[in-house]
Amino acid sequence: MKPQPAVPFDVLGVGFGPSNLATAIAIAENNKRLRPACSYCFIEKQEQFIWHRDMLLPDSDMQISFIKDLVTLRDPTSPFTFVNYLHEKGRLEAFINRKSFFPSRIEFNDYLRWVAVRFEDGCHYGVEALSIEPETSTDGVVRSLVVRARAEGGGEVVRRTHDLVLAVGGAPHVPPAFATLGADARVFHSSRYLRAITEPELASRAGLHVAVVGAGQSAAEIALDLHGRFADAKIDMLFRGVALKPADDTPFVNEIFNPEFTDFVFAQPEERRREIIGQFRETNYAVIDADLLGRIYEIVYQQRVRGDARLRLQGRIKIANAVASRDGVHMTILDAAGDEPVSRQYDAVVLATGYERDIRHPLLAPLAGYLEDFEVERDYRLRTRPDFRPRIHVQGLSEDTHGLSDTLLSVLAIRSQEIALSLVEAKRRRLSEAASEQESMAQAG
Ligand SMILES: Cc1cc2nc3c(=O)[nH]c(=O)nc-3n(C[C@H](O)[C@H](O)[C@H](O)COP(=O)(O)OP(=O)(O)OC[C@H]3O[C@@H](n4cnc5c(N)ncnc54)[C@H](O)[C@@H]3O)c2cc1C
C-alpha cells in the first residue's frame, strides 16, 4: 500500500460495494468538469471487489434491469455503462439476442469488477474500518475525522478525511433461536452460503439433510441450489408464512423504484412514510421471483408424481429452539395450529433470514454526540451540530426516510451524484472559509 499523506482526504468512503463504486464514478466524473476537484480514497474489507460473493450461485439472475447500472440513469454516455462493458467484452450482440433485461448475477458481478478495476488506485482493499472519530481543532470545532482500520495481517491503518460516505451494506440477521450457534460451521447465514456448503465436511457427506430457514429470494435460490448440487440431499424450507409468495415487479408498482419517488417518500410525515413502505414491502421482502416460484412448484409436483419428497416446504412454523450436538443440529419447531412441538435433526441449517440495517451504525458511535439524533437529510447527509463540519453521507441505511429503493441498486446512479455534488459544495465551503481566515490573519498582521 502506498504511504498515505498526513493531510486529510476530501472524501473517504467506507465500504466499496456497488453504492460506493457508484460514488467513486460520480466523484471522478465531476472532477473532470466541476471545480474544486475532490481527493478521495475508499477502504474495503474484502481483499478484492466482489459482490455478495457467497451468493454468486450458478443459476441466479439479477432482479433489476441492466439499464439500472451504476451510471445510465444519470448519464447514458458514461464509459461505465453496462452496455459499454458488454461492448468491450465483445458480447453486446449476444446479450441482445438473449432478449432479457436481466443478466445473471455472475455477469453483473463481472461488470462491477470491470468498473472497480478502473478505480483500483482509489481503493484500499483488505482494510476494515473499526471506528470513525472526530478531530477537534483548538477552537473546539470538529473539521475532520480519523478513521481507524485494521489491515490484512492485523496492522493498524489510520486515514484522515474532511467528509465521509458510509456504505457498508447490511449485517446478517440471525434469529434469536440460533444466536448461540454462531461458531458452529453447520449453522450459517445465506451471506456465507457458498463458502460454507463447499467445506469438505458438508460437501462430501452422503444424504445431507439441510434446513433452509426463510421464504425470500435467497431462501428459494439456496433450496434450488442444494437440490441441484447434491443429488441425494433432503432439503426442508421452513418459514413462518402460509405460502411462498411472488415478488411484485409489475410496471406500476415498479415506479416506486424511480428516483423521483425518493422525493415523494422523503417529503411525507414519518407515519405516512411507514405506511407507504409497508404497502410495498412485497416488492422486496420475503418474496420470490415468479419464475423461481414456478420452478420450485414443478419440482414439488414431480416429487408427488414419483412419490418422493426430497424438497419439502413447511410454512406456518416457528423455530423455538436450536441446539447443536456431535450428530447434528436439533431444532424444536412449533406450528401455527398449536400442535405439540416437533423435534428435527439436520446436518446443516442455512439462515436465509435477511439483513439488519441500522442508521445508528456502530462505526458512527464515537460521533453520536455531534449528530442530531441520526436524522438524515434528503441528500443522505446526517444532520449534525454547527460545531461539527464534516459531512457524513450514508447509503443503504435510510430506507425509513428514503423508501424501499435505498437498499437496492435502483437509484445508485442518481444517489451517488446527489452525494458527490454535496461533497463538492462542502469543499467549496471549506476553501472559502480558509480564504476568509487567511484574509483576516493578513489584516491582523
Ligand atoms: C444475494 C443478493 C442479491 C441481490 N440482488 C439484487 C438485485 O438483483 N437487484 C437489486 O437492486 N438489489 C439486489 N440486492 C440488494 C443489495 O443490497 C444491493 O444489490 C447492493 O449490494 C447494495 O450495495 P452496497 O454497496 O450498499 O452494499 P454491499 O453490496 O453490501 O457492499 C458493502 C461493502 O462494504 C464492505 N464493508 C462492510 N463493512 C466494512 C468495514 N467496516 N470496513 C470496510 N469495508 C466494509 C463490505 O465488504 C462490502 O463490500 C441483492 C442482495 C443480495 C444479498
Side-chain angles (χ1 to χ4, degrees):
M1 194 180 294
K2 289 182 211 156
Q4 293 304 310
V7 288
F9 288 102
D10 291 321
V11 187
L12 186 107
V14 180
F16 205 54
S19 295
N20 263 347
L21 185 54
T23 310
I25 300 175
I27 297 174
E29 292 191 340
N30 287 345
N31 280 351
K32 289 191 192 145
R33 59 185 188 92
L34 294 179
R35 286 293 165 267
C38 292
S39 64
Y40 60 89
C41 164
F42 291 84
I43 57 175
E44 164 57 50
K45 69 178 178 184
Q46 300 190 95
E47 287 132 43
Q48 53 175 305
F49 186 96
I50 185 152
W51 180 57
H52 299 304
R53 76 171 201 189
D54 285 308
M55 281 298 288
L56 287 176
L57 308 180
D59 236 1
S60 56
D61 286 335
M62 294 300 293
Q63 292 177 273
I64 193 168
S65 161
F66 71 89
I67 301 173
K68 288 191 171 174
D69 60 20
L70 298 170
V71 284
T72 299
L73 288 189
R74 172 177 86 245
D75 177 11
T77 67
S78 160
F80 300 109
T81 61
F82 188 79
V83 170
N84 192 36
Y85 154 79
L86 288 174
H87 179 67
E88 281 206 8
K89 294 280 177 178
R91 291 201 305 271
L92 187 52
E93 291 89 344
F95 186 86
I96 296 168
N97 291 338
R98 289 174 72 236
K99 296 189 180 162
S100 165
F101 277 103
F102 307 103
S104 70
R105 262 208 314 266
I106 290 174
E107 184 174 30
F108 203 75
N109 174 59
D110 193 56
Y111 155 67
L112 295 171
R113 285 171 74 109
W114 172 85
V115 177
V117 164
R118 284 148 180 81
F119 287 90
E120 221 144 55
D121 283 352
C123 180
H124 301 143
Y125 290 98
V127 176
E128 178 178 7
L130 301 176
S131 72
I132 303 167
E133 294 159 19
E135 269 194 325
T136 314
S137 315
T138 44
D139 58 1
V141 174
V142 177
R143 292 198 171 77
S144 50
L145 301 168
V146 176
V147 175
R148 296 188 192 282
R150 181 174 40 221
E152 265 174 300
E156 192 189 42
V157 175
V158 178
R159 295 276 180 279
R160 298 180 65 221
T161 186
H162 287 296
D163 298 315
L164 188 129
V165 188
L166 184 70
V168 287
H173 169 70
V174 174
F178 299 92
T180 56
L181 300 182
D184 195 300
R186 295 164 300 180
V187 179
F188 47 90
H189 188 263
S190 56
S191 56
R192 292 202 299 119
Y193 171 68
L194 277 178
R195 219 173 322 173
I197 204 66
T198 50
E199 280 292 320
E201 174 110 2
L202 290 179
S204 62
R205 193 145 174 176
L208 205 61
H209 194 186
V210 188
V212 180
V213 181
Q217 182 72 13
S218 291
E221 288 182 4
I222 287 171
L224 275 183
D225 184 77
L226 287 165
H227 190 265
R229 186 178 290 272
F230 303 111
D232 59 353
K234 279 167 73 179
I235 304 124
D236 290 356
M237 266 185 97
L238 306 176
F239 48 93
R240 276 188 311 222
V242 175
L244 297 182
K245 289 164 97 177
D248 187 342
D249 64 347
T250 50
F252 290 112
V253 166
N254 225 30
E255 292 194 347
I256 69 159
F257 297 113
N258 291 357
E260 57 273 17
F261 199 76
T262 311
D263 293 324
F264 169 70
V265 175
F266 190 81
Q268 305 306 309
E270 199 179 321
E271 182 74 1
R272 178 83 182 110
R273 281 180 194 152
R274 244 200 312 271
E275 247 173 63
I276 297 167
I277 291 167
Q279 233 176 58
F280 291 104
R281 272 188 77 77
E282 291 195 352
T283 51
N284 190 35
Y285 293 109
V287 288
I288 300 170
D289 264 2
D291 61 335
L292 204 59
L293 270 185
R295 281 167 59 196
I296 293 178
Y297 198 85
E298 187 59 21
I299 289 176
V300 172
Y301 179 77
Q302 293 304 335
Q303 288 180 165
R304 286 172 70 178
V305 172
R306 290 190 305 269
D308 63 75
R310 209 153 77 69
L311 174 62
R312 294 194 306 184
L313 310 190
Q314 193 176 355
R316 289 178 297 162
I317 60 102
K318 185 170 180 247
I319 298 163
N321 181 27
V323 183
S325 75
R326 254 180 52 162
D327 48 330
V329 182
H330 306 264
M331 300 198 319
T332 309
I333 298 175
L334 308 172
D335 82 8
D339 294 342
E340 283 294 295
V342 180
S343 191
R344 295 254 185 83
Q345 183 185 321
Y346 291 99
D347 299 314
V349 180
V350 190
L351 303 173
T353 41
Y355 291 81
E356 287 165 14
R357 296 164 184 271
D358 190 355
I359 186 80
R360 293 171 187 275
H361 195 280
L363 283 174
L364 297 172
L367 307 178
Y370 296 97
L371 305 177
E372 303 279 10
D373 204 22
F374 288 82
E375 292 203 14
V376 193
E377 306 279 6
R378 172 62 188 83
D379 63 2
Y380 306 91
R381 180 164 35 126
L382 291 175
R383 207 169 286 165
T384 53
R385 280 183 8 195
D387 56 347
F388 185 90
R389 301 290 163 74
R391 292 190 178 192
I392 298 176
H393 291 272
V394 292
Q395 304 199 66
L397 297 178
S398 56
E399 185 183 79
D400 292 349
T401 44
H402 290 69
L404 284 155
S405 55
D406 193 64
T407 65
L408 302 174
L409 302 170
S410 328
V411 293
L412 285 196
I414 305 296
R415 179 172 71 191
S416 54
Q417 177 67 337
E418 288 166 350
I419 292 174
L421 289 177
S422 160
L423 297 168
V424 174
E425 189 191 299
K427 181 155 185 189
R428 274 191 198 133
R429 199 194 59 189
R430 261 196 314 281
L431 293 179
S432 119
E433 274 174 14
S436 334
E437 208 173 296
Q438 266 183 353
E439 207 177 309
S440 19
M441 271 163 55
Q443 277 167 4

